[in-house]
Amino acid sequence: MAYCMCMVLAAFMAKSRTMPLLWICLQERGHKQLAKGAAAAHFIIIITLLVLGCVWLWQPCEQLYLCRAQNAGFGIAYALMASQLIMAHMCKEPFQAPLWAIVCLAVGNINKLLRLYDPLTVTLAIDAVLLAGYLQYVLVVINQICEHLDIYCLTIKRKQPAADAQ
């Protein structure tokens, strides 16, 4: 399916200066498969995150805003995992799971079960850590992309005056 879409796009763009797109599509075809061990590891990590999130959200909430804070924390952890997985796949780099996010969800689960500290306070602290980690990841990725492409984020560079125009 992806190969067909790539070929259609290459045929559509062939009249412009994007002819190398066809060669890139042909080179990338079939090189996106993971080894079975790596795929199983990715699956186990994602399932672990989902199970921890479900257990955390399944337990009843007695405090006002606790459920919303737990939903926010799980959403941030999942967004971080999904973003890193997508970027690793697009860049053809090995996926390094954010294990610290899984540990945060595990801490939230343990605290909610054992009631060591106030659940709302711990959940808000976990949310703050997850949000700070996610924002740090996003900013690093944006800076790396901008640096690689030699562009500014959210601005357009002015054209440099031609040296031989004078």
Side-chain angles (χ1 to χ4, degrees):
M1 176 77 177
Y3 175 69
C4 294
M5 289 176 22
C6 196
M7 292 303 292
V8 168
L9 180 63
F12 180 73
M13 304 288 279
K15 291 187 179 181
S16 66
R17 294 183 178 169
T18 58
M19 192 59 183
L21 180 65
L22 176 63
W23 177 247
I24 291 171
C25 290
L26 290 175
Q27 280 182 325
E28 289 185 354
R29 187 178 134 212
H31 295 288
K32 295 185 180 185
Q33 298 296 326
L34 293 173
K36 289 182 181 179
H42 292 183
F43 184 71
I44 289 170
I45 290 168
I46 292 170
I47 291 299
T48 303
L49 180 82
L50 292 175
V51 166
L52 285 172
C54 288
V55 169
W56 199 26
L57 298 174
W58 188 269
Q59 300 166 359
C61 298
E62 296 87 24
Q63 288 179 294
L64 189 62
Y65 299 115
L66 179 60
C67 288
R68 289 182 187 210
Q70 288 174 336
N71 280 322
F74 175 63
I76 294 168
Y78 184 78
L80 176 67
M81 178 82 68
S83 298
Q84 286 188 352
L85 189 60
I86 290 168
M87 287 304 296
H89 181 72
M90 286 176 40
C91 298
K92 295 184 177 131
E93 295 287 329
F95 173 63
Q96 296 176 351
L99 298 178
W100 61 270
I102 293 174
V103 169
C104 285
L105 290 180
V107 166
N109 275 320
I110 290 169
N111 185 63
K112 196 167 182 187
L113 287 172
L114 301 179
R115 301 202 182 276
L116 300 173
Y117 299 101
D118 177 43
L120 183 60
T121 305
V122 172
T123 301
L124 291 175
I126 289 171
D127 288 358
V129 169
L130 288 168
L131 184 61
Y134 183 70
L135 290 176
Q136 188 268 342
Y137 170 74
V138 168
L139 291 175
V140 165
V141 168
I142 289 171
N143 287 333
Q144 286 177 352
I145 290 170
C146 290
E147 187 177 304
H148 178 74
L149 296 176
D150 192 29
I151 60 174
Y152 297 122
C153 182
L154 303 176
T155 58
I156 299 174
K157 283 186 175 181
R158 293 181 182 257
K159 289 185 179 180
Q160 298 294 330
D164 55 14
Q166 299 171 346

